[in-house]
Amino acid sequence: GDWGTQFGMLIQELNENFPDFLENTPNIADLQTFYQNAKKRFDADEDFKKKAHENVVKLQSGDEACLSGWKMLCELSRKEFQKIYDRLDITLKEQGESFYNPMLLPMVQELKEKGIVVEDQGAQCIFVGKKKAPPLMVQKSDGGFGYAATDLAALRYRVNELKCDRIVYVTDVGQEFHFKQVFEGGTKCAFYDAKVTKLDHMMFGMVLQENVSVDEEGKEVKKAEKIKTREGKSVKLAELLDEAKDRALKSFEERAKAKAEGAETEVRSEDLELAAEILGISSIKYYDLKQNRTQNYIFSFDQMLDPKGNTGVYLIYAYARICSILRKAEFNEETANLDEYVFTSSNK
């Protein structure tokens, strides 16, 4: 996701709003709003759209000005991403689309010489699957490269350089046909041997949002729609994590207040912030993972953070109660002989 059309749009937005960005780094506090503004212009202004596409080709060709803008935008993104990674205890090795860019042109030229890539309506394509199926376009008519070329180059690199014997692609269900073609294309190009390397596309459903509108008769109409980041209709992950923590903190504060009025609770005031962070993030993870992986689901703060039912909040409370029982039983995991413990439904 660190390459391609979206960066062509962002670079053009930089060129027009901050023409001296190479000398003076602009202060773009909200990169998402900057991106949304660029997308609106891309959709409405043909001249802007044309220049954005030209920027993509320049970027892929190594244009210094475009590369400088791209590097700056990537660095702005990384700073914000890192805050989320730190909060969720995530460590990753970044290896985006840009990593494979130097491999694309040599790969296409090699496949053209072998007769695997052929020209179709000005574009360079690989025909796979059924005759009427659209081809796998590895190079556009304007000379630019798309996802197909990148994914083929990545497949080849992972098999030949990383020596992978299994590769799992985790994307939404909307890309099922694309990866089916890529896998078939990889076979046709002899980039992998299906008997040696297994390729899996692990599809997942999309997170939808429920929009409420009013029809001509004044009745409410509820409709589940795809969350669109480019149109500003998404909930930022950071905001979701904050909301989850705030709701958990409010619950703890209410319990602490109840304790002051005579109710029994073991939550200490100095632990509230940390406990709220753990409970909030865990509830989000559990809600997302308990869904049917391949089906869409509607985003809901209330369901995600519900303290009752089949939720992460309820399970953590149950775990805390179990730990309390073990403490009272003076259970020591290191020295205990589990054969001595008999659990029954009676009071014995």
Side-chain angles (χ1 to χ4, degrees), residues 103-247:
M103 309 174 193
L104 303 186
L105 185 58
M107 179 189 72
V108 172
Q109 290 175 339
E110 176 190 332
L111 295 176
K112 283 176 69 176
E113 291 172 2
K114 292 181 178 179
I116 297 172
V117 167
V118 296
E119 186 172 318
D120 184 66
Q121 299 182 37
Q124 305 301 321
C125 305
I126 299 174
F127 285 85
V128 294
K130 297 179 180 179
K131 290 183 178 180
K132 294 184 179 180
L136 196 61
M137 183 165 55
V138 294
Q139 188 172 20
K140 302 174 185 177
S141 57
D142 63 4
F145 299 96
Y147 289 128
T150 304
D151 283 329
L152 280 174
L155 172 57
R156 189 184 207 180
Y157 177 84
R158 289 161 183 163
V159 172
N160 295 333
E161 302 300 325
L162 301 183
K163 308 299 180 184
C164 297
D165 54 20
R166 187 182 183 195
I167 304 171
V168 182
Y169 294 80
V170 186
T171 72
D172 70 78
V173 294
Q175 297 192 48
E176 180 179 9
F177 179 70
H178 167 74
F179 281 106
K180 184 179 179 181
Q181 282 197 309
V182 168
F183 296 169
E184 290 183 18
T187 301
K188 190 169 184 177
C189 297
F191 285 173
Y192 79 104
D193 182 349
K195 295 179 180 179
V196 178
T197 305
K198 184 181 180 183
L199 305 183
D200 289 306
H201 180 205
M202 185 177 284
M203 300 175 284
F204 57 83
M206 293 180 290
V207 182
L208 308 177
Q209 61 185 3
E210 190 173 67
N211 288 331
V212 180
S213 59
V214 180
D215 62 16
E216 295 178 355
E217 298 178 359
K219 297 180 180 179
E220 283 191 352
V221 178
K222 295 182 179 180
K223 185 178 180 182
E225 297 178 342
K226 181 179 178 181
I227 295 176
K228 299 178 180 178
T229 305
R230 295 175 180 178
E231 296 179 9
K233 296 180 180 179
S234 63
V235 177
K236 290 182 180 179
L237 180 56
E239 293 173 357
L240 174 59
L241 298 179
D242 289 341
E243 178 74 12
K245 179 183 176 180
D246 289 344
R247 291 195 183 200

Side-chain angles (χ1 to χ4, degrees), residues 308-341:
K308 300 176 182 178
N310 183 14
T311 66
V313 179
Y314 181 81
L315 287 177
I316 289 175
Y317 281 145
Y319 172 73
R321 287 194 290 272
I322 291 169
C323 290
S324 177
I325 292 171
L326 293 175
R327 281 197 303 272
K328 291 175 181 177
E330 298 182 350
F331 176 80
N332 187 318
E333 186 176 359
E334 295 180 357
T335 60
N337 181 358
L338 294 180
D339 293 334
E340 296 177 358
Y341 287 82

Side-chain angles (χ1 to χ4, degrees), residues 280-347:
I281 290 176
S282 298
S283 63
I284 291 170
K285 287 182 178 180
Y286 183 79
Y287 182 82
D288 195 48
L289 291 171
K290 80 170 185 176
Q291 309 298 325
N292 183 312
R293 176 172 57 81
T294 59
Q295 293 182 352
N296 300 338
Y297 73 84
I298 298 175
F299 173 85
S300 168
F301 269 125
D302 293 333
Q303 291 182 28
M304 191 171 282
L305 306 175
D306 192 341
K308 300 176 182 178
N310 183 14
T311 66
V313 179
Y314 181 81
L315 287 177
I316 289 175
Y317 281 145
Y319 172 73
R321 287 194 290 272
I322 291 169
C323 290
S324 177
I325 292 171
L326 293 175
R327 281 197 303 272
K328 291 175 181 177
E330 298 182 350
F331 176 80
N332 187 318
E333 186 176 359
E334 295 180 357
T335 60
N337 181 358
L338 294 180
D339 293 334
E340 296 177 358
Y341 287 82
V342 180
F343 297 94
T344 71
S345 59
S346 68
N347 291 330

